[in-house]
Amino acid sequence: EKDEMEDHLRENLEIPKNIKLVCRRVDLFDPSELEKLAIDSARVVIISPTDDNRVTKMLLAVSNIITSSENTKARVSAILSSDQYRFPKSIAEKHNVTTLQTNDTLAKIIAHSCTQSGLSKVFTEIFNFEGSELYLNQIKGINGITFEELMYRLERAVPIGIYRDHKIEMNPPADTVLQESDKILVFSEERYSAYMAGEGTKLPEDYPMRPIKPERDTQTIIFGYNKTLKTVLRELPENVLKVTLVNYPGGDT
């Protein structure tokens, strides 16, 4: 029930004072029911993970409501596990839809972390949100400098993207010139801990960092098979010269 739902959330979440929490129970596939949620005036709509078929139906329903209204700034985010339900770029842009393909993303993470020493610790640090988190901040003094300069001048945070014109660009080109109105996506311990070092800060001699060339060639063994195998094989580093597939449908290779 609605009251139980709200009580449960308040008991388990630290809700900021400036956030008003409202719970609704609706049929997610009924357009007339969805209208109760004021989707046409929302800035962000997040569809929680469930099976891909249900997520796709909800995406279409929500997107149609937004498109039929005058709300052009709303963004819809959802998680899909399979590439089978990937939205064409033209439709995604028209409906402001951003989807995360979990199977494809995890396959890439596995391929890189199992062959590059220490990378698994980096992924763990980023995704477990212990100590540091991702924040979108306005940072003074960035007007006119490049993203490369921001990388070595920003203290107590790591910049990883730019929010501009209602869009986030991850890992933008090093020569991207920043504007004072830009918001920077940073990875830091505290939300407002990032600040710019002085203009006299010199670029380190060994900057930018270059990929470390593997010391030796190696081989990889992959047990089992699923649809992400092609992604794993495509993402393996160049120093992996031999791959052994175990229990592959076509026989061991």
Side-chain angles (χ1 to χ4, degrees), residues 20-66:
K20 181 181 181 181
L21 182 66
V22 180
C23 293
R24 292 282 186 267
R25 183 184 294 277
V26 299
D27 181 350
L28 296 174
F29 307 113
D30 185 344
S32 62
E33 289 276 291
L34 288 178
E35 289 179 359
K36 298 178 182 179
L37 306 181
I39 292 175
D40 56 342
S41 61
R43 287 296 300 273
V44 178
V45 178
I46 300 174
I47 299 176
S48 297
T50 179
D51 66 87
D52 284 354
N53 189 39
R54 287 173 59 85
V55 170
T56 302
K57 289 180 179 178
M58 283 187 277
L59 270 172
L60 291 172
V62 169
S63 299
N64 285 334
I65 291 175
I66 292 176

Side-chain angles (χ1 to χ4, degrees), residues 189-246:
E189 292 185 1
E190 299 177 1
R191 183 174 185 86
Y192 300 110
S193 62
Y195 66 92
M196 293 284 290
E199 294 184 8
T201 305
K202 294 183 178 180
L203 187 69
E205 294 181 359
D206 59 349
Y207 191 91
M209 296 178 61
R210 303 185 185 281
I212 300 176
K213 187 177 181 180
E215 296 181 356
R216 58 186 176 83
D217 297 330
T218 186
Q219 62 177 330
T220 298
I221 301 174
I222 300 178
F223 290 88
Y225 165 83
N226 59 31
K227 293 181 180 180
T228 64
L229 178 61
K230 290 182 179 180
T231 301
V232 173
L233 293 175
R234 185 174 61 249
E235 293 291 327
L236 288 174
E238 294 180 357
N239 67 311
V240 178
L241 301 182
K242 180 181 179 181
V243 177
T244 302
L245 303 180
V246 182

Side-chain angles (χ1 to χ4, degrees), residues 143-187:
N143 189 48
I145 70 171
T146 63
F147 191 78
E148 180 181 40
E149 185 177 349
L150 177 69
M151 288 288 293
Y152 71 85
R153 284 187 55 189
L154 194 64
E155 298 287 347
R156 301 188 65 183
V158 178
I160 60 176
I162 302 173
Y163 179 76
R164 178 186 295 175
D165 298 330
H166 308 293
K167 295 181 180 179
I168 289 182
E169 182 178 4
M170 301 293 290
N171 192 28
D175 59 356
T176 301
V177 179
L178 302 178
Q179 304 170 7
E180 196 68 37
S181 59
D182 290 338
K183 289 186 178 180
I184 308 299
L185 184 64
V186 299
F187 189 62

